[in-house]
Amino acid sequence: MGCCTSKLSGKRAVGYEDDPVFLASLTNFTVNEVYALNELYKKLSCLIIADGLIHKEEFQLALFRNSNRRNFFADRVFDMFDIKRNGVIEFGEFVQSLSIFHPRAPESEKIEFAFKLYDLRRTGFIEREELKEMVLAILNESDLSLSDELVEEIVNKTFNQADTKGDGKIDPDEWKDFVSQNPSLLKNMTLPYLSDLTTSFPSFVMQADLSDTDAM
């Protein structure tokens, strides 16, 4: 496993989308924080494949310490970060997507991101089956086992509370109202360390220096 050595964004040349000043102007990060994020990006993009790009396996390894086991939420968040839909996360995408998790990010951005996370089929609405898939994923990845009847009860109750128009789907306005009544839905949408990037990295970054054996 190699190490990315270029000054910005691993081995990739600095382009307009990688410019720290430009990215700072688009996001909730300062220019210095963007430079700090580049150090984080370089670590993640060299975990398995030293090409200066974050692949799904590297993303999952950094978040969940496992590059092999399929993880529903890792897949969903990766897809959200992969703005260009080209199968990798480039540095500009990384910064812009992480910006939503910044403590300074407007709540409206967090609500919109969470909505898109649940909108699995990208229809602009959250349908009942999509909500059920998310509930099942939460249970599965929390190692909780509930009866089919109880799962249906949870899904029905949640969906009925959110679908105030009663048209069988949750639109962005209904989602916004639902989140305002259930703020815990956004509890994972803020990462406190992002406001202090220039002095400290999150713990998983320090754990990212894995040996080849650990990463396989």
Side-chain angles (χ1 to χ4, degrees):
M1 186 168 60
C3 179
C4 304
T5 57
S6 68
K7 292 184 179 179
L8 189 63
S9 303
K11 293 182 178 179
R12 296 161 53 243
V14 178
Y16 190 55
E17 295 177 338
D18 289 339
D19 179 67
V21 175
F22 175 65
L23 288 172
S25 73
L26 289 179
T27 67
N28 297 292
F29 295 112
T30 65
V31 174
N32 285 339
E33 287 172 339
V34 174
Y35 273 109
L37 280 175
N38 184 61
E39 295 304 311
L40 166 57
Y41 182 88
K42 286 191 291 186
K43 279 183 174 289
L44 300 186
S45 65
C46 291
L47 285 178
I48 298 176
I49 305 172
D51 62 355
L53 299 166
I54 296 179
H55 297 258
K56 182 173 288 188
E57 295 81 6
E58 292 169 323
F59 190 75
Q60 183 165 315
L61 180 61
L63 294 182
F64 301 100
R65 304 289 290 164
N66 188 325
S67 63
N68 298 315
R69 180 186 174 189
R70 181 176 173 81
N71 185 290
F72 183 86
F73 289 106
D75 285 349
R76 285 298 298 146
V77 176
F78 182 91
D79 289 343
M80 296 285 290
F81 274 51
D82 180 16
I83 299 170
K84 295 181 180 178
R85 311 267 180 229
N86 60 357
V88 293
I89 300 174
E90 300 178 12
F91 181 62
E93 295 173 313
F94 183 69
V95 175
Q96 292 180 65
S97 298
L98 265 185
S99 175
I100 297 168
F101 294 82
H102 198 290
R104 291 195 297 267
E107 186 176 87
S108 59
E109 289 185 9
K110 300 177 187 293
I111 292 175
E112 181 181 1
F113 187 94
F115 179 86
K116 291 179 179 178
L117 194 65
Y118 278 75
D119 180 15
L120 304 178
R121 296 167 184 80
R122 302 191 185 98
T123 61
F125 301 96
I126 299 173
E127 300 176 355
R128 185 185 179 283
E129 284 306 307
E130 291 173 317
L131 180 63
K132 183 176 180 179
E133 285 185 52
M134 293 295 284
V135 169
L136 289 173
I138 292 171
L139 294 174
N140 180 58
E141 289 166 23
S142 300
D143 293 323
L144 294 176
S145 179
L146 300 179
S147 67
D148 293 342
E149 292 78 11
L150 188 52
V151 169
E152 289 294 330
E153 182 179 339
I154 293 172
V155 172
N156 287 335
K157 181 178 180 181
T158 303
F159 193 84
N160 290 336
Q161 286 179 343
D163 180 23
T164 55
K165 296 177 183 177
D167 57 1
K169 56 189 178 183
I170 303 169
D171 64 31
D173 289 334
E174 289 173 316
W175 175 254
K176 182 179 180 180
D177 292 339
F178 184 63
V179 170
S180 68
Q181 298 169 25
N182 300 274
S184 62
L185 289 169
L186 296 182
K187 67 179 181 180
N188 294 323
M189 292 298 301
T190 296
L191 302 175
Y193 72 78
L194 291 179
S195 63
D196 198 25
L197 278 173
T198 56
T199 59
S200 64
F201 276 140
S203 59
F204 76 79
V205 180
M206 305 311 294
Q207 299 169 357
D209 293 318
L210 302 175
S211 67
D212 290 347
T213 300
D214 292 332
M216 298 302 291

